[in-house]
Amino acid sequence: MDSTTEQHIKLSNAISKKKRFHMINDWELYVMLVPGILFFIIFKYIPMWGIVIAFQNYSPYKGITGSEWVGFQHFVTLFHYNGFWLLLRNTMLISFYNLIFFFPVPIVLSLLLNEIRATAFKKFIQTVIYLPHFLSWVVVVGITYMLLGTQGGLINELIKAGGGTEIAFLTTQEWFRGLIVSQSIWKEAGWGTIIFLAALAGVDPQLYEAAIVDGAGRWRQLWHITLPAIRSTILILLILRMGSVLDTGFEHIYLMLNSTVNDVGDVFETYVYREGLIGGKFSYTTAIGLFKSFVGLILIMGANWLTKKFGEEGVY
């Protein structure tokens, strides 16, 4: 064995000993990881075993191991269901509207907040726009009914006081998706600014100073410095959002649904609720969930591939 090899062996041994030494000294930090690791194991990985019932006629009495295997029968049933395309259309349209109208709002709010120089005023505005996030969807929908209801709704009362005719906002199909997106924007847009504001905080102030010296105004600084600084963050969040394109939020949609808007508001989540929890079709609804996850995975991989194709940094 030559001297070079011996030196490499000694160096690797020294590095291993140093790592072990750090682990012993920093054992408190590793202990702090235990709750998080247990959370993911118990609530994320172990439940994945339940996916197998999508390929069974699952019976709670027989359990997973004793239930009959039926292969892809439930997926065939789903794709042949008369209302499948209606559910897919409604889900995709609501997700598309959220992507077009809701996703850019936190970015715009972050850019506007970043321009505020008065610290106290900036914190006040942030607090105000964060507050709706902490309201449940029950409260948000309740506020919507008080404002837009036909019986005592504030907006309709004002319309009638002005000599107009009341508008059935909550029972008209044309208004339903717009209301869903508007509620999402009001409730979550402020909270969504946190990540973008954190990204903006990391921009080097010297870049702005150099831009000012070169004669760049606020718009040019925004276009050439601010937006490029958060571009990677925007793309990563957009890629991740593609994974939940078939998840529109059960509680929100369910509370807003009624018989008059069912044709434009019935989505996979509400269908799963009816068939799974009320109808007891556990295997069938698990197959629906697996189908949604598979579509989300394909969309994430496709969006990540496109992002890298254009020279940007993807999720992986």
Side-chain angles (χ1 to χ4, degrees):
M1 184 182 300
D2 56 16
S3 59
T4 305
T5 307
E6 290 180 357
Q7 288 178 358
H8 280 299
I9 294 174
K10 289 179 180 179
L11 182 60
S12 62
N13 290 335
I15 292 173
S16 299
K17 288 180 181 178
K18 190 174 182 180
K19 286 182 178 179
R20 288 196 296 268
F21 183 71
H22 278 301
M23 290 183 67
I24 294 172
N25 283 347
D26 300 330
W27 65 270
E28 297 96 337
L29 297 177
Y30 291 97
V31 170
M32 290 175 62
L33 290 173
V34 172
I37 294 172
L38 289 177
F39 170 81
F40 279 98
I41 292 175
I42 295 173
F43 295 104
K44 300 296 181 181
Y45 287 98
I46 293 178
M48 289 177 68
W49 170 248
I51 290 175
V52 299
I53 72 174
F55 306 95
Q56 296 178 325
N57 272 331
Y58 175 71
S59 169
Y61 301 102
K62 297 179 180 179
I64 294 178
T65 56
S67 297
E68 177 189 0
W69 287 87
V70 295
F72 291 93
Q73 177 182 323
H74 298 302
F75 295 92
V76 174
T77 303
L78 171 64
F79 298 141
H80 284 84
Y81 169 58
N82 291 333
F84 172 75
W85 293 108
L86 175 68
L87 295 173
L88 184 63
R89 184 194 68 186
N90 292 340
T91 304
M92 293 296 291
L93 280 176
I94 291 175
S95 293
F96 177 75
Y97 292 154
N98 275 321
L99 192 64
I100 296 299
F101 298 107
F102 170 66
F103 184 77
V105 174
I107 302 172
V108 175
L109 280 176
S110 301
L111 295 174
L112 293 174
L113 287 170
N114 192 55
E115 296 299 317
I116 299 177
R117 294 293 174 257
T119 305
F121 181 65
K122 181 178 180 179
K123 289 183 178 180
F124 172 75
I125 296 297
Q126 285 180 278
T127 302
V128 171
I129 63 177
Y130 288 170
L131 284 177
H133 169 77
F134 299 99
L135 300 177
S136 70
W137 279 116
V138 176
V139 175
V140 174
V141 172
I143 294 173
T144 304
Y145 271 77
M146 287 191 293
L147 289 175
L148 302 178
T150 52
Q151 298 179 352
L154 178 61
I155 303 299
N156 275 313
E157 290 298 322
L158 292 174
I159 292 174
K160 288 190 291 184
T165 305
E166 64 182 20
I167 302 173
F169 294 103
L170 303 174
T171 55
T172 304
Q173 294 186 358
E174 288 76 13
W175 285 97
F176 181 80
R177 293 175 184 140
L179 287 175
I180 293 295
V181 176
S182 300
Q183 289 171 326
S184 298
I185 292 173
W186 182 78
K187 185 176 185 296
E188 300 295 346
W191 189 255
T193 62
I194 293 176
I195 295 177
F196 298 109
L197 287 173
L200 289 171
V203 181
D204 189 351
Q206 293 181 355
L207 295 174
Y208 293 108
E209 295 172 3
I212 293 172
V213 171
D214 290 338
R218 300 304 304 173
W219 285 107
R220 286 199 172 275
Q221 292 176 42
L222 174 68
W223 185 257
H224 293 289
I225 299 175
T226 308
L227 284 177
I230 62 172
R231 182 171 55 195
S232 60
T233 304
I234 294 172
L235 289 174
I236 288 173
L237 291 177
L238 180 61
I239 292 170
L240 294 176
R241 191 171 185 84
M242 297 303 294
S244 58
V245 73
L246 293 184
D247 295 323
T248 52
F250 164 74
E251 185 180 4
H252 184 194
I253 303 293
Y254 182 73
L255 290 170
M256 288 293 292
L257 269 184
N258 55 67
S259 58
T260 58
V261 297
N262 204 55
D263 288 341
V264 297
D266 197 18
V267 293
F268 282 114
E269 280 94 341
T270 53
Y271 180 64
V272 165
Y273 171 75
R274 294 196 304 270
E275 296 295 313
L277 293 181
I278 297 179
K281 299 179 181 178
F282 303 114
S283 293
Y284 178 53
T285 50
T286 301
I288 297 174
L290 187 56
F291 163 72
K292 289 168 53 184
S293 299
F294 179 75
V295 171
L297 176 63
I298 296 299
L299 290 175
I300 284 181
M301 293 176 66
N304 190 76
W305 178 81
L306 281 175
T307 301
K308 288 191 170 183
K309 194 74 173 176
F310 286 102
E312 300 293 338
E313 184 179 354
V315 176
Y316 58 90

